[in-house]
Amino acid sequence: MELLLILFAVLLVGVALSKVLKAKELIDGLKGVDEEPISNSEIKTNALGLLIFGFVFFALLIAQIVGWDKFLLPSAASVHGAEIDTLMEVTMILILSVFFITQGLLFWFGFKYYFKPGVKGFWFPHDNRLEMAWTIVPATVLILLVTYGMSTWDNIMNPKNEPDLNIEFVSEQFKWTARYAGVDQTLGEASFALYGSNAVGVATKDAMIKRIGECQLSIKGFVADSVRLEKLIEEGWNKDDKLDDVESSLKNYRANIVRLNRMLDHYAKFPAKYDAGKDDIVINNNVVKIPKGKTIKFQFRSKDVIHSAYFPHFRAQINSVPGMKTEFTFTPKETNAEFNEKAIKEGKVYLKTVRDEDKNIISQVETPGSTGFILLCNKICGASHYNMKVYIEVVEEKEYDKWIASQKTFE
Ligand SMILES: [Cu+2]
């Protein structure tokens, strides 16, 4: 609020100044005073000012790049992440060199070629060789860069080896629910028709039968509601909208039962696909563990809108889209403790929030190391989007085995 007021005040001062200058111009006009032509020394001062501005601008930019590097992410914590880091470095070196050369020349030429009396500008309308050069060189560089980027993407998205582990994350406003594939390492079928008490809609036979029961119970309730509402409407109450809602819910629940029965028919033909879900482990918690050094295939589904699964430390990101499955495979190569140590070695810091007893933020302290691994939503998906986080603990295989064995399977 304070900042807004200050900005507003600055704006008003600017408007006032421009009005004063305008008034002076008008008065000069009335007095018959001619506007003074710009003198040579003014032109020189302006040119020098531009050069100084250029220097200060570059100095600040370099100071920011060097000074704030400590806030950037530490080097990747996944095997493929190193490739992304290299791609990023190559791209940044290329674009920054072009930026410094072209912008440096822009400021320098502005100074070197300022107007001097008696010196004529060189008329240089067109040169085919020059046109060719500045078309072909950037095009070639871009083609090489894009090809390099696409081949890196291809390597990452098409891993040659089968994954050791299959994990699913289901997104919804505003949380992630994880499902581990269990002993068989196969994620069982899942469907939105089973959402309810079944958080990610795992479609085992029992779950389908249970869901049909739940739907029938809901339908009973809605039928009773609609009878009651119709009676009220007959008595002259304005309940038409309510009745429409109830009828549309009835339609949905009936359609869901048809859907579930169709799935049961399908189950009779391909039971294995559905039975695979029996040993799946659903983890409704914002902390999950994964083992170090294992290749993990992550699958994503969404219950409502488009979310984006972003694992910044592992250099992985993919959208989580309603009605389809997306996936990303990576291999974590460091435990949380190892990653933190590496971050300290690389001179990275993070801002640690200090709060008082009432949880008010007092300050943020620069602390060496890293916050640790997270999965977060990287698509603005609604009011509590910022809350969609899962803390990921990368642990040694033994610890992971112990942890996963202590979790309940779906059945
Ligand atoms: Cu979001």
Side-chain angles (χ1 to χ4, degrees):
M1 192 61 211
E2 215 170 288
L3 187 72
L4 259 177
L5 280 176
I6 293 171
L7 282 176
F8 190 61
V10 169
L11 192 76
L12 283 181
V13 169
V15 171
L17 270 178
S18 82
K19 289 285 164 204
V20 168
L21 285 175
K22 185 86 198 160
K24 185 182 176 291
E25 252 174 52
L26 289 172
I27 293 166
D28 284 351
L30 284 175
K31 280 187 188 158
V33 180
D34 256 352
E35 250 186 66
E36 275 179 40
I38 304 161
S39 71
N40 287 330
S41 76
E42 271 176 330
I43 292 175
K44 204 174 165 184
T45 316
N46 268 335
L48 199 66
L50 188 69
L51 191 67
I52 292 169
F53 174 82
F55 266 112
V56 173
F57 171 64
F58 283 131
L60 277 177
L61 179 64
I62 292 167
Q64 285 174 5
I65 292 175
V66 175
W68 291 343
D69 179 67
K70 60 183 176 184
F71 291 115
L72 295 184
L73 286 173
S75 59
S78 60
V79 174
H80 80 271
E83 277 181 73
I84 300 234
D85 286 355
T86 314
L87 179 65
M88 180 78 179
E89 273 156 28
V90 169
T91 311
M92 285 313 275
I93 289 170
L94 259 171
I95 57 177
L96 281 177
S97 351
V98 173
F99 173 80
F100 278 111
I101 292 170
T102 54
Q103 301 306 299
L105 284 177
L106 188 70
F107 283 108
W108 173 243
F109 283 177
F111 173 72
K112 187 161 189 260
Y113 297 111
Y114 69 83
F115 171 77
K116 296 171 193 98
V119 180
K120 237 181 166 182
F122 174 55
W123 175 240
F124 183 71
H126 188 77
D127 185 314
N128 273 336
R129 280 169 307 171
L130 201 58
E131 294 278 348
M132 291 282 263
W134 68 41
T135 307
I136 290 170
V137 173
T140 313
V141 172
L142 274 181
I143 289 169
L144 289 176
L145 205 59
V146 170
T147 312
Y148 173 34
M150 279 167 69
S151 84
T152 305
W153 177 250
D154 200 51
N155 282 342
I156 293 166
M157 293 310 283
N158 300 301
K160 282 167 211 87
N161 303 326
E162 280 297 303
D164 301 312
L165 222 64
N166 286 285
I167 300 175
E168 177 183 65
F169 276 104
V170 179
S171 55
E172 69 189 282
Q173 288 168 323
F174 295 97
K175 64 174 190 164
W176 299 93
T177 308
R179 173 162 67 128
Y180 285 62
V183 183
D184 61 0
Q185 272 318 310
T186 310
L187 288 162
E189 287 289 307
S191 165
F192 68 95
L194 289 106
Y195 290 156
S197 57
N198 187 345
V200 298
V202 183
T204 60
K205 190 185 178 190
D206 288 354
M208 286 187 260
I209 293 168
K210 187 178 160 210
R211 184 68 191 147
I212 290 176
E214 280 174 14
C215 290
Q216 280 165 342
L217 207 67
S218 301
I219 287 173
K220 250 189 207 162
F222 286 126
V223 169
D225 280 352
S226 91
V227 171
R228 186 173 54 84
L229 287 168
E230 271 169 4
K231 220 173 169 184
L232 286 174
I233 290 168
E234 262 172 43
E235 288 169 15
W237 292 87
N238 179 13
K239 293 284 179 190
D240 294 276
D241 285 357
K242 278 255 163 67
L243 187 65
D244 285 351
D245 288 349
V246 167
E247 266 164 10
S248 115
S249 296
L250 260 177
K251 216 170 103 192
N252 288 339
Y253 275 89
R254 283 184 178 134
N256 214 27
I257 290 182
V258 173
R259 218 174 270 133
L260 287 160
N261 278 320
R262 215 184 293 141
M263 278 172 83
L264 277 172
D265 289 346
H266 196 249
Y267 170 79
K269 281 180 222 149
F270 307 99
K273 279 172 94 174
Y274 296 85
D275 288 340
K278 285 184 186 176
D279 67 345
D280 288 1
I281 295 160
V282 177
I283 293 176
N284 220 328
N285 189 350
N286 69 343
V287 183
V288 300
K289 294 191 185 193
I290 54 175
K292 171 184 152 183
K294 293 281 171 191
T295 303
I296 307 167
K297 183 162 148 189
F298 292 92
Q299 172 179 301
F300 305 94
R301 284 187 298 130
S302 180
K303 284 169 100 167
D304 38 38
V305 299
I306 299 182
H307 300 270
S308 177
Y310 180 36
F311 303 83
H313 307 95
F314 302 107
R315 309 292 192 263
Q317 175 171 324
I318 198 138
N319 280 354
S320 175
V321 186
M324 68 186 281
K325 290 172 188 166
T326 50
E327 57 188 50
F328 205 114
T329 303
F330 67 76
T331 313
K333 60 176 186 182
E334 287 146 10
T335 63
N336 284 47
E338 285 164 352
F339 183 70
N340 197 45
E341 246 168 65
K342 183 180 80 177
I344 294 171
K345 237 181 245 162
E346 289 176 0
K348 301 294 178 184
V349 299
Y350 68 95
L351 292 176
K352 197 178 198 168
T353 308
V354 183
R355 292 168 194 271
D356 64 12
E357 294 130 36
D358 301 327
K359 296 206 165 176
N360 296 315
I361 297 174
I362 305 173
S363 62
Q364 289 192 305
V365 186
E366 262 183 40
T367 314
S370 163
T371 47
F373 306 130
I374 40 169
L375 156 65
L376 47 94
C377 177
N378 207 13
K379 195 133 284 180
I380 312 281
C381 57
S384 294
H385 157 73
Y386 66 94
N387 245 341
M388 266 182 90
K389 273 188 262 188
V390 175
Y391 295 93
I392 295 174
E393 280 178 25
V394 179
V395 294
E396 297 292 346
E397 204 183 339
K398 265 189 193 158
E399 192 188 332
Y400 168 77
D401 289 342
K402 230 164 113 191
W403 174 78
I404 200 75
S406 71
Q407 307 293 326
K408 263 188 277 173
T409 61
F410 181 73
E411 290 267 273

